Amino acid sequence: QVQLVESGGGSVQAGGSLKLSCAASGLTFSGYAMGWFRQAPGMDREFVAAIGWAGTTTYYADSVKGRFTISRERAKDTAKYTVNLQMNSLKTEDTAVYYCARYRRGSRWYSDPTPQRDYDYWGQGTQVTVSS
């Protein structure tokens, strides 16, 4: 079964931090750029951040720039990749279900990685709740 699995969500007070991770099962994101999106209650799903395959190119929504950091790492024991989202200085408006997704167009984007139509595989999401 092909799937992306997010983990690390939870509840935190405003100003706190959380780290989300995304792992692949049954597919690879080796060679692909990856993205994080989120959907707040009653809102459309929106772009949060993206990272190129090489890990040197990143792109952030203005709302999270300077607070969130996207990265990718490879586990030494399994050689599997994860894509992480470190979220600092969390605000109540960051409350949402967070999704990771694989960029269908390959290892990097050339203009804009934000359109959801450019992502082919999606995880089930992990809930992040930030309280005041």
Side-chain angles (χ1 to χ4, degrees):
Q1 184 177 0
V2 173
Q3 59 179 349
L4 296 174
V5 180
E6 302 95 340
S7 61
S11 297
V12 65
Q13 287 193 321
S17 298
L18 282 174
K19 181 178 180 180
L20 307 183
S21 292
C22 173
S25 175
L27 84 162
T28 181
F29 46 71
S30 176
Y32 289 88
M34 295 290 294
W36 282 95
F37 292 77
R38 67 185 181 186
Q39 186 168 21
M43 305 291 285
D44 292 334
R45 189 162 56 187
E46 63 176 4
F47 171 84
V48 175
I51 186 167
W53 162 243
T56 55
T57 304
T58 57
Y59 194 103
Y60 296 94
D62 287 343
S63 59
V64 306
K65 203 172 292 183
R67 300 187 298 121
F68 290 13
T69 302
I70 188 171
S71 64
R72 63 196 314 152
E73 60 183 288
R74 186 178 185 183
K76 292 181 180 179
D77 53 349
T78 65
K80 290 188 176 181
Y81 289 94
T82 60
V83 177
N84 305 312
L85 187 68
Q86 177 67 47
M87 305 184 296
N88 298 329
S89 303
L90 282 161
K91 305 176 181 180
T92 55
E93 52 263 43
D94 295 318
T95 294
V97 178
Y98 284 72
Y99 301 88
C100 67
R102 192 180 77 169
Y103 188 69
R104 70 168 71 240
R105 295 176 179 266
S107 64
R108 54 162 293 180
W109 55 90
Y110 293 93
S111 58
D112 179 4
T114 65
Q116 297 182 44
R117 64 177 180 273
D118 289 336
Y119 294 81
D120 54 2
Y121 289 100
W122 295 79
Q124 292 298 308
T126 185
Q127 176 70 47
V128 171
T129 302
V130 184
S131 58
S132 59

